[in-house]
PDB file of all heavy atoms in Angstrom:
ATOM      1  N   GLY A  16     -60.947 153.616 158.632  1.00 98.00           N
ATOM      2  CA  GLY A  16     -61.381 155.010 158.826  1.00 98.00           C
ATOM      3  C   GLY A  16     -62.868 154.959 158.814  1.00 98.00           C
ATOM      4  O   GLY A  16     -63.502 154.016 158.311  1.00 98.00           O
ATOM      5  N   GLY A  17     -63.467 156.022 159.336  1.00 98.00           N
ATOM      6  CA  GLY A  17     -64.955 156.099 159.360  1.00 98.00           C
ATOM      7  C   GLY A  17     -65.475 156.241 157.952  1.00 98.00           C
ATOM      8  O   GLY A  17     -64.741 156.443 156.982  1.00 98.00           O
ATOM      9  N   ILE A  18     -66.828 156.117 157.852  1.00 97.00           N
ATOM     10  CA  ILE A  18     -67.445 156.256 156.535  1.00 97.00           C
ATOM     11  C   ILE A  18     -67.130 157.658 155.915  1.00 97.00           C
ATOM     12  O   ILE A  18     -67.164 158.641 156.629  1.00 97.00           O
ATOM     13  CB  ILE A  18     -68.960 156.010 156.660  1.00 97.00           C
ATOM     14  CG1 ILE A  18     -69.638 156.075 155.287  1.00 97.00           C
ATOM     15  CG2 ILE A  18     -69.635 156.942 157.638  1.00 97.00           C
ATOM     16  CD1 ILE A  18     -71.005 155.469 155.227  1.00 97.00           C
ATOM     17  N   ALA A  19     -66.818 157.638 154.644  1.00 97.00           N
ATOM     18  CA  ALA A  19     -66.485 158.849 153.891  1.00 97.00           C
ATOM     19  C   ALA A  19     -65.282 159.609 154.425  1.00 97.00           C
ATOM     20  O   ALA A  19     -65.155 160.844 154.252  1.00 97.00           O
ATOM     21  CB  ALA A  19     -67.714 159.745 153.780  1.00 97.00           C
ATOM     22  N   SER A  20     -64.405 158.899 155.135  1.00 98.00           N
ATOM     23  CA  SER A  20     -63.193 159.565 155.650  1.00 98.00           C
ATOM     24  C   SER A  20     -62.142 159.711 154.532  1.00 98.00           C
ATOM     25  O   SER A  20     -61.274 160.590 154.586  1.00 98.00           O
ATOM     26  CB  SER A  20     -62.592 158.767 156.794  1.00 98.00           C
ATOM     27  OG  SER A  20     -62.274 157.413 156.376  1.00 98.00           O
ATOM     28  N   GLY A  21     -62.227 158.856 153.510  1.00 97.00           N
ATOM     29  CA  GLY A  21     -61.273 158.937 152.380  1.00 97.00           C
ATOM     30  C   GLY A  21     -60.523 157.647 152.148  1.00 97.00           C
ATOM     31  O   GLY A  21     -59.495 157.637 151.424  1.00 97.00           O
ATOM     32  N   LYS A  22     -61.007 156.494 152.667  1.00 97.00           N
ATOM     33  CA  LYS A  22     -60.275 155.214 152.502  1.00 97.00           C
ATOM     34  C   LYS A  22     -60.086 154.851 151.036  1.00 97.00           C
ATOM     35  O   LYS A  22     -59.000 154.399 150.649  1.00 97.00           O
ATOM     36  CB  LYS A  22     -60.991 154.081 153.191  1.00 97.00           C
ATOM     37  CG  LYS A  22     -61.037 154.188 154.700  1.00 97.00           C
ATOM     38  CD  LYS A  22     -61.845 153.066 155.322  1.00 97.00           C
ATOM     39  CE  LYS A  22     -63.248 152.931 154.781  1.00 97.00           C
ATOM     40  NZ  LYS A  22     -64.106 154.101 155.072  1.00 97.00           N
ATOM     41  N   SER A  23     -61.161 154.988 150.236  1.00 97.00           N
ATOM     42  CA  SER A  23     -61.045 154.569 148.833  1.00 97.00           C
ATOM     43  C   SER A  23     -60.066 155.448 148.121  1.00 97.00           C
ATOM     44  O   SER A  23     -59.333 154.971 147.220  1.00 97.00           O
ATOM     45  CB  SER A  23     -62.417 154.637 148.111  1.00 97.00           C
ATOM     46  OG  SER A  23     -63.340 153.925 148.825  1.00 97.00           O
ATOM     47  N   THR A  24     -60.067 156.744 148.448  1.00 97.00           N
ATOM     48  CA  THR A  24     -59.154 157.648 147.825  1.00 97.00           C
ATOM     49  C   THR A  24     -57.701 157.250 148.205  1.00 97.00           C
ATOM     50  O   THR A  24     -56.828 157.218 147.323  1.00 97.00           O
ATOM     51  CB  THR A  24     -59.489 159.111 148.285  1.00 97.00           C
ATOM     52  OG1 THR A  24     -60.866 159.335 148.109  1.00 97.00           O
ATOM     53  CG2 THR A  24     -58.688 160.106 147.457  1.00 97.00           C
ATOM     54  N   VAL A  25     -57.497 156.984 149.470  1.00 98.00           N
ATOM     55  CA  VAL A  25     -56.167 156.508 149.880  1.00 98.00           C
ATOM     56  C   VAL A  25     -55.763 155.199 149.216  1.00 98.00           C
ATOM     57  O   VAL A  25     -54.626 155.030 148.728  1.00 98.00           O
ATOM     58  CB  VAL A  25     -56.165 156.382 151.413  1.00 98.00           C
ATOM     59  CG1 VAL A  25     -54.861 155.670 151.926  1.00 98.00           C
ATOM     60  CG2 VAL A  25     -56.272 157.739 152.097  1.00 98.00           C
ATOM     61  N   ASP A  40     -65.321 146.289 151.306  1.00 96.00           N
ATOM     62  CA  ASP A  40     -66.633 146.701 150.860  1.00 96.00           C
ATOM     63  C   ASP A  40     -66.954 146.023 149.527  1.00 96.00           C
ATOM     64  O   ASP A  40     -68.130 145.606 149.319  1.00 96.00           O
ATOM     65  CB  ASP A  40     -66.694 148.216 150.625  1.00 96.00           C
ATOM     66  CG  ASP A  40     -67.013 148.962 151.866  1.00 96.00           C
ATOM     67  OD1 ASP A  40     -67.562 148.393 152.809  1.00 96.00           O
ATOM     68  OD2 ASP A  40     -66.761 150.199 151.889  1.00 96.00           O
ATOM     69  N   ASP A 119     -58.269 147.139 152.934  1.00 96.00           N
ATOM     70  CA  ASP A 119     -59.143 148.275 153.214  1.00 96.00           C
ATOM     71  C   ASP A 119     -60.430 147.733 153.921  1.00 96.00           C
ATOM     72  O   ASP A 119     -61.236 147.063 153.316  1.00 96.00           O
ATOM     73  CB  ASP A 119     -59.488 148.957 151.881  1.00 96.00           C
ATOM     74  CG  ASP A 119     -60.461 150.076 152.015  1.00 96.00           C
ATOM     75  OD1 ASP A 119     -61.120 150.237 153.090  1.00 96.00           O
ATOM     76  OD2 ASP A 119     -60.616 150.849 151.042  1.00 96.00           O
ATOM     77  N   PRO A 121     -63.391 148.798 156.497  1.00 96.00           N
ATOM     78  CA  PRO A 121     -64.091 149.860 157.243  1.00 96.00           C
ATOM     79  C   PRO A 121     -64.274 149.471 158.715  1.00 96.00           C
ATOM     80  O   PRO A 121     -64.177 150.324 159.586  1.00 96.00           O
ATOM     81  CB  PRO A 121     -65.435 149.977 156.549  1.00 96.00           C
ATOM     82  CG  PRO A 121     -65.258 149.389 155.209  1.00 96.00           C
ATOM     83  CD  PRO A 121     -64.156 148.399 155.264  1.00 96.00           C
ATOM     84  N   ARG A 148     -69.159 165.480 153.537  1.00 96.00           N
ATOM     85  CA  ARG A 148     -68.815 164.781 152.309  1.00 96.00           C
ATOM     86  C   ARG A 148     -69.927 163.819 151.895  1.00 96.00           C
ATOM     87  O   ARG A 148     -70.159 163.672 150.682  1.00 96.00           O
ATOM     88  CB  ARG A 148     -67.456 164.070 152.455  1.00 96.00           C
ATOM     89  CG  ARG A 148     -66.322 165.090 152.503  1.00 96.00           C
ATOM     90  CD  ARG A 148     -64.931 164.479 152.648  1.00 96.00           C
ATOM     91  NE  ARG A 148     -63.935 165.575 152.750  1.00 96.00           N
ATOM     92  CZ  ARG A 148     -62.715 165.423 153.215  1.00 96.00           C
ATOM     93  NH1 ARG A 148     -62.320 164.214 153.589  1.00 96.00           N
ATOM     94  NH2 ARG A 148     -61.884 166.417 153.293  1.00 96.00           N
ATOM     95  N   ARG A 151     -72.651 166.146 150.486  1.00 96.00           N
ATOM     96  CA  ARG A 151     -72.225 166.834 149.244  1.00 96.00           C
ATOM     97  C   ARG A 151     -72.008 165.859 148.092  1.00 96.00           C
ATOM     98  O   ARG A 151     -72.473 166.120 147.006  1.00 96.00           O
ATOM     99  CB  ARG A 151     -70.890 167.576 149.553  1.00 96.00           C
ATOM    100  CG  ARG A 151     -70.354 168.375 148.391  1.00 96.00           C
ATOM    101  CD  ARG A 151     -68.876 168.744 148.572  1.00 96.00           C
ATOM    102  NE  ARG A 151     -68.026 167.584 148.585  1.00 96.00           N
ATOM    103  CZ  ARG A 151     -66.783 167.589 149.043  1.00 96.00           C
ATOM    104  NH1 ARG A 151     -66.246 168.668 149.531  1.00 96.00           N
ATOM    105  NH2 ARG A 151     -66.035 166.500 149.014  1.00 96.00           N
ATOM    106  N   ASP A 152     -71.327 164.724 148.341  1.00 94.00           N
ATOM    107  CA  ASP A 152     -70.885 163.872 147.250  1.00 94.00           C
ATOM    108  C   ASP A 152     -71.826 162.722 147.013  1.00 94.00           C
ATOM    109  O   ASP A 152     -71.824 162.096 145.935  1.00 94.00           O
ATOM    110  CB  ASP A 152     -69.498 163.292 147.522  1.00 94.00           C
ATOM    111  CG  ASP A 152     -68.435 164.408 147.669  1.00 94.00           C
ATOM    112  OD1 ASP A 152     -68.673 165.460 147.105  1.00 94.00           O
ATOM    113  OD2 ASP A 152     -67.398 164.114 148.273  1.00 94.00           O
ATOM    114  N   ARG A 153     -72.648 162.362 148.015  1.00 91.00           N
ATOM    115  CA  ARG A 153     -73.505 161.160 147.850  1.00 91.00           C
ATOM    116  C   ARG A 153     -74.982 161.468 147.950  1.00 91.00           C
ATOM    117  O   ARG A 153     -75.821 160.566 147.930  1.00 91.00           O
ATOM    118  CB  ARG A 153     -73.122 160.125 148.880  1.00 91.00           C
ATOM    119  CG  ARG A 153     -71.663 159.729 148.724  1.00 91.00           C
ATOM    120  CD  ARG A 153     -71.220 158.666 149.717  1.00 91.00           C
ATOM    121  NE  ARG A 153     -69.798 158.425 149.511  1.00 91.00           N
ATOM    122  CZ  ARG A 153     -69.046 157.716 150.353  1.00 91.00           C
ATOM    123  NH1 ARG A 153     -69.608 157.161 151.380  1.00 91.00           N
ATOM    124  NH2 ARG A 153     -67.775 157.536 150.129  1.00 91.00           N
ATOM    125  N   ASN A 183     -57.139 163.608 156.889  1.00 98.00           N
ATOM    126  CA  ASN A 183     -57.703 163.991 155.581  1.00 98.00           C
ATOM    127  C   ASN A 183     -58.710 165.172 155.706  1.00 98.00           C
ATOM    128  O   ASN A 183     -59.756 165.180 155.092  1.00 98.00           O
ATOM    129  CB  ASN A 183     -58.401 162.785 154.946  1.00 98.00           C
ATOM    130  CG  ASN A 183     -58.803 163.084 153.481  1.00 98.00           C
ATOM    131  OD1 ASN A 183     -58.226 163.983 152.861  1.00 98.00           O
ATOM    132  ND2 ASN A 183     -59.782 162.308 152.979  1.00 98.00           N
ATOM    133  N   GLY A 185     -57.496 168.173 154.913  1.00 97.00           N
ATOM    134  CA  GLY A 185     -56.913 169.180 153.977  1.00 97.00           C
ATOM    135  C   GLY A 185     -57.357 168.882 152.575  1.00 97.00           C
ATOM    136  O   GLY A 185     -58.378 168.234 152.306  1.00 97.00           O
ATOM    137  N   THR A 186     -56.528 169.330 151.624  1.00 97.00           N
ATOM    138  CA  THR A 186     -56.859 169.158 150.191  1.00 97.00           C
ATOM    139  C   THR A 186     -56.468 167.734 149.764  1.00 97.00           C
ATOM    140  O   THR A 186     -55.763 167.014 150.493  1.00 97.00           O
ATOM    141  CB  THR A 186     -56.055 170.136 149.328  1.00 97.00           C
ATOM    142  OG1 THR A 186     -54.638 169.793 149.521  1.00 97.00           O
ATOM    143  CG2 THR A 186     -56.286 171.575 149.727  1.00 97.00           C
ATOM    144  N   ARG A 187     -56.890 167.356 148.571  1.00 97.00           N
ATOM    145  CA  ARG A 187     -56.528 166.069 148.013  1.00 97.00           C
ATOM    146  C   ARG A 187     -54.988 165.981 147.832  1.00 97.00           C
ATOM    147  O   ARG A 187     -54.363 164.916 147.902  1.00 97.00           O
ATOM    148  CB  ARG A 187     -57.225 165.809 146.659  1.00 97.00           C
ATOM    149  CG  ARG A 187     -58.693 165.604 146.851  1.00 97.00           C
ATOM    150  CD  ARG A 187     -59.354 165.543 145.423  1.00 97.00           C
ATOM    151  NE  ARG A 187     -60.811 165.702 145.600  1.00 97.00           N
ATOM    152  CZ  ARG A 187     -61.626 164.704 145.865  1.00 97.00           C
ATOM    153  NH1 ARG A 187     -61.176 163.459 145.987  1.00 97.00           N
ATOM    154  NH2 ARG A 187     -62.926 164.913 146.034  1.00 97.00           N
ATOM    155  N   LEU A 190     -53.451 165.146 150.996  1.00 98.00           N
ATOM    156  CA  LEU A 190     -53.663 163.700 151.259  1.00 98.00           C
ATOM    157  C   LEU A 190     -52.636 162.835 150.539  1.00 98.00           C
ATOM    158  O   LEU A 190     -51.970 162.004 151.104  1.00 98.00           O
ATOM    159  CB  LEU A 190     -55.085 163.344 150.816  1.00 98.00           C
ATOM    160  CG  LEU A 190     -55.471 161.847 151.003  1.00 98.00           C
ATOM    161  CD1 LEU A 190     -55.489 161.485 152.484  1.00 98.00           C
ATOM    162  CD2 LEU A 190     -56.843 161.601 150.395  1.00 98.00           C
TER     163      LEU A 190
HETATM  164  N1  ATP B 322     -59.133 165.685 150.858  1.00 85.30           N
HETATM  165  C1  ATP B 322     -60.375 165.686 150.322  1.00 85.30           C
HETATM  166  N2  ATP B 322     -61.006 166.801 150.060  1.00 85.30           N
HETATM  167  C2  ATP B 322     -62.267 166.821 149.536  1.00 85.30           C
HETATM  168  N3  ATP B 322     -62.994 165.708 149.239  1.00 85.30           N
HETATM  169  C3  ATP B 322     -62.400 164.538 149.535  1.00 85.30           C
HETATM  170  C4  ATP B 322     -61.094 164.433 150.037  1.00 85.30           C
HETATM  171  N4  ATP B 322     -60.772 163.122 150.197  1.00 85.30           N
HETATM  172  C5  ATP B 322     -61.860 162.431 149.816  1.00 85.30           C
HETATM  173  N5  ATP B 322     -62.813 163.251 149.357  1.00 85.30           N
HETATM  174  C6  ATP B 322     -64.160 162.906 148.879  1.00 85.30           C
HETATM  175  O1  ATP B 322     -64.937 162.490 149.988  1.00 85.30           O
HETATM  176  C7  ATP B 322     -65.771 161.410 149.666  1.00 85.30           C
HETATM  177  C8  ATP B 322     -65.415 160.172 150.573  1.00 85.30           C
HETATM  178  O2  ATP B 322     -64.133 159.702 150.174  1.00 85.30           O
HETATM  179  P1  ATP B 322     -63.904 158.120 149.913  1.00 85.30           P
HETATM  180  O3  ATP B 322     -64.981 157.576 149.012  1.00 85.30           O
HETATM  181  O4  ATP B 322     -62.492 157.926 149.554  1.00 85.30           O
HETATM  182  O5  ATP B 322     -64.220 157.627 151.401  1.00 85.30           O
HETATM  183  P2  ATP B 322     -64.314 156.172 152.032  1.00 85.30           P
HETATM  184  O6  ATP B 322     -63.778 156.248 153.376  1.00 85.30           O
HETATM  185  O7  ATP B 322     -63.793 155.147 151.095  1.00 85.30           O
HETATM  186  O8  ATP B 322     -65.885 156.015 152.054  1.00 85.30           O
HETATM  187  P3  ATP B 322     -66.786 154.690 152.442  1.00 85.30           P
HETATM  188  O9  ATP B 322     -66.611 154.476 153.913  1.00 85.30           O
HETATM  189  O10 ATP B 322     -68.190 155.056 152.122  1.00 85.30           O
HETATM  190  O11 ATP B 322     -66.259 153.594 151.583  1.00 85.30           O
HETATM  191  C9  ATP B 322     -65.560 161.114 148.190  1.00 85.30           C
HETATM  192  O12 ATP B 322     -66.577 161.792 147.467  1.00 85.30           O
HETATM  193  C10 ATP B 322     -64.187 161.720 147.890  1.00 85.30           C
HETATM  194  O13 ATP B 322     -64.053 162.126 146.582  1.00 85.30           O
END
Side-chain angles (χ1 to χ4, degrees):
I18 183 164
S20 58
K22 294 177 303 298
S23 306
T24 311
V25 169
D40 273 341
D119 177 346
R148 289 181 183 162
R151 181 196 66 195
D152 300 337
R153 300 181 184 170
N183 190 22
T186 63
R187 290 173 195 276
L190 179 64

